[in-house]
Amino acid sequence: MDKLSDSQHEVVQNISVLHHTKRVLDDHIDVLFYDVTTLYCKSDHEDELRKTGFSKEGRHKNPQIILGPLVSIGGYPLAYCIHEGNKYEGHTMLPVVTKFVSKYNLKDFIVVADSGLMNGDMNFTRRRIGAHVCICLVALKVYKELERLLKLSTINMSVDKVLELAQTIATIQMALPQNKQTISRTMLMKQHQRIAPLFSDEFWVTR
């Protein structure tokens, strides 16, 4: 295992990528999928690699490592990176992708990953956290107001059910040729979609 760790993992990767994956994909590795997972260790002691951090398995008290696999279309493994268990996930993607792209001379490719892995430290500044809380507060306010209107209108439906129903109602926007004014109109609704006054035609006219 020491020999494998020191040098042979590069040999294994080259065999996997050059002699199998590229052949299976007709020599085109143009889409790269990246994600991270955590692997916990049954130990109470940390070292330079095994650190306690946010565990995707709920093992927050156990030392862990972060594993970042890079795979192709079809799920074929291409490369991977290993990081300390307390490392920020957003800092793990660019090194492994950059190294892989350079090593195998990829020219035209797409990387697919969770947005949180691409946005650096911005998806954690004080302003972004404050903005996120503000959005959550507004969403809660709208949710509670809709709940109040449902009770006031004696509509025996939950907010979640009403929101699900609203997704089946189509609204179109039209630009009037005379004055270029834009108006919105709701398409003809079926009987089960008419929850007056919440879903009346007048309610859906936005301009």
Side-chain angles (χ1 to χ4, degrees):
M1 293 185 72
D2 289 340
K3 183 178 181 180
L4 180 63
S5 177
D6 290 341
S7 60
Q8 296 302 305
H9 68 279
E10 291 287 342
V11 176
V12 171
Q13 179 176 312
N14 286 336
I15 293 174
S16 173
V17 175
L18 295 177
H19 299 289
H20 182 262
T21 303
K22 292 191 74 173
R23 178 171 55 82
V24 169
L25 299 179
D26 295 327
D27 205 33
H28 296 294
I29 301 178
D30 48 9
V31 180
L32 309 176
F33 296 88
Y34 180 80
D35 200 0
V36 294
T37 188
T38 54
L39 302 177
Y40 75 91
C41 306
K42 292 186 177 180
S43 171
D44 295 328
H45 305 288
E46 296 184 347
D47 55 27
E48 70 279 0
L49 179 62
R50 295 176 293 180
K51 303 285 187 181
T52 56
F54 177 75
S55 171
K56 295 178 181 293
E57 300 173 87
R59 300 274 185 165
H60 304 297
K61 295 183 179 180
N62 292 91
Q64 64 179 16
I65 65 170
I66 292 179
L67 172 64
L70 189 68
V71 301
S72 69
I73 288 180
Y76 295 106
L78 300 173
Y80 65 89
C81 60
I82 296 176
H83 296 278
E84 300 84 357
N86 60 354
K87 189 177 182 69
Y88 168 54
E89 293 180 356
H91 292 162
T92 66
M93 185 186 75
L94 283 181
V96 66
V97 171
T98 301
K99 181 179 178 180
F100 182 84
V101 168
S102 175
K103 182 174 182 178
Y104 295 103
N105 197 30
L106 300 188
K107 299 298 184 182
D108 188 15
F109 59 91
I110 298 172
V111 179
V112 180
D114 186 277
S115 60
L117 297 172
M118 299 181 176
N119 292 338
D121 292 325
M122 290 300 293
N123 281 349
F124 293 100
T125 63
R126 184 182 182 90
R127 292 178 63 236
R128 292 297 179 91
I129 293 173
H132 177 75
V133 173
C134 182
I135 292 172
C136 292
L137 180 65
V138 172
L140 177 59
K141 180 70 175 182
V142 173
Y143 188 96
K144 296 302 293 184
E145 176 62 8
L146 181 53
E147 186 177 64
R148 185 186 71 86
L149 291 175
L150 289 171
K151 292 180 180 178
L152 190 64
S153 303
T154 64
I155 298 175
N156 188 26
M157 297 179 68
S158 67
V159 174
D160 292 339
K161 182 63 178 178
V162 170
L163 294 177
E164 179 183 341
L165 181 61
Q167 293 178 350
T168 69
I169 300 174
T171 300
I172 61 172
Q173 287 188 333
M174 299 174 289
L176 300 181
Q178 294 84 359
N179 54 14
K180 303 301 182 181
Q181 179 186 3
T182 301
I183 62 173
S184 297
R185 290 291 185 269
T186 303
M187 301 293 287
L188 182 64
M189 292 187 291
K190 299 180 180 179
Q191 187 60 38
H192 73 282
Q193 295 172 324
R194 292 182 176 274
I195 308 176
L198 293 180
F199 286 174
S200 64
D201 290 342
E202 292 78 12
F203 179 83
W204 288 97
V205 175
T206 58
R207 291 185 180 89

